[in-house]
Amino acid sequence: MAIAAIVACVSIQSCSDKKSYAELLEDENKAVNVFLSDHKVVGSLPADNKFETGDNAPYYQIDKEGNLYMQVISIGDGEMATDNQIVYFRFKRANLAYYGNGAELEWEGNSDNIEYGDQSFRFNNTSLESSYQWGTGVQTPLEYLPLNSHVRLVVKSQLGWTSEIAYVVPFLYDIRYFPAKI
């Protein structure tokens, strides 16, 4: 059922833009490549998870398809997230399709604006809409980094927000992860 809805959305989006899904994917790849061409990129994760950190750290390719790249700004001092643990996050994101067309990054999210409220997910729990709505890309850094970490992610649409997959738009995220306070 969900797949049919996605296909329908893709069809509607494709028709209204007069571009095929394949053309939209090509545009997405170009936008990501333009952004990454301005940064150092490493094609794999460090074997020992000893990431370079900071604003000039490289973007590490997380998956072999090139749908997710991570720059580690700072490694947290918390525990590693456990399955089904509630993780709060503060984020901002920018549409890389606009950046690929020469525009400045325009950020949105709850990092600087409390109107978005607190956002959370249950780590590795894709059965709850409150978790899977954010896409798998947002959770993936916690497979390698502890809580209280700060990362930037280049996320292609397949791993992004489930409500936006059909738009085939890549985003740059700036995310901080926090444990739930008990």
Side-chain angles (χ1 to χ4, degrees):
M1 179 92 130
I3 294 175
I6 291 171
V7 170
C9 289
V10 169
S11 298
I12 291 168
Q13 179 69 23
S14 296
C15 293
S16 67
D17 286 345
K18 301 204 185 317
K19 287 188 176 186
S20 70
Y21 184 64
E23 290 170 320
L24 292 171
L25 287 172
E26 186 176 311
D27 289 348
E28 179 180 49
N29 284 333
K30 286 178 185 174
V32 167
N33 289 339
V34 166
F35 176 79
L36 291 175
S37 70
D38 292 335
H39 300 86
K40 181 180 175 187
V41 177
V42 175
S44 61
L45 296 169
D48 55 4
N49 277 355
K50 296 208 185 267
F51 295 95
E52 290 181 46
T53 61
D55 288 326
N56 293 317
Y59 278 84
Y60 295 95
Q61 184 175 336
I62 302 294
D63 66 330
K64 64 182 176 183
E65 293 83 19
N67 290 318
L68 186 64
Y69 295 84
M70 174 176 69
Q71 180 186 48
V72 180
I73 303 304
S74 65
I75 296 175
D77 57 2
E79 300 288 324
M80 295 298 287
T82 58
D83 286 348
N84 208 38
Q85 178 179 359
I86 295 175
V87 175
Y88 286 93
F89 65 102
R90 305 289 287 168
F91 78 97
K92 59 183 178 179
R93 69 181 192 152
N95 181 328
L96 288 180
Y98 296 140
Y99 180 86
N101 290 323
E104 293 292 318
L105 292 175
E106 291 187 31
W107 297 95
E108 65 176 4
N110 70 353
S111 279
D112 303 322
N113 187 343
I114 59 171
E115 86 178 43
Y116 282 92
D118 291 331
Q119 303 301 338
S120 67
F121 55 81
R122 288 193 173 269
F123 183 61
N124 279 338
N125 183 337
T126 56
S127 64
L128 298 172
E129 181 182 5
S130 61
S131 292
Y132 74 73
Q133 72 178 340
W134 303 109
T136 56
V138 168
Q139 292 191 33
T140 301
L142 294 178
E143 293 176 18
Y144 310 100
L145 299 168
L147 294 166
N148 298 321
S149 291
H150 179 193
V151 300
R152 290 194 188 110
L153 297 173
V154 173
V155 181
K156 288 187 181 176
S157 58
Q158 296 91 338
L159 301 181
W161 292 3
T162 56
S163 63
E164 298 176 345
I165 290 173
Y167 300 118
V168 193
V169 175
F171 281 90
L172 173 64
Y173 287 81
D174 186 289
I175 305 175
R176 290 178 174 90
Y177 300 98
F178 304 99
K181 301 280 186 202
I182 298 177

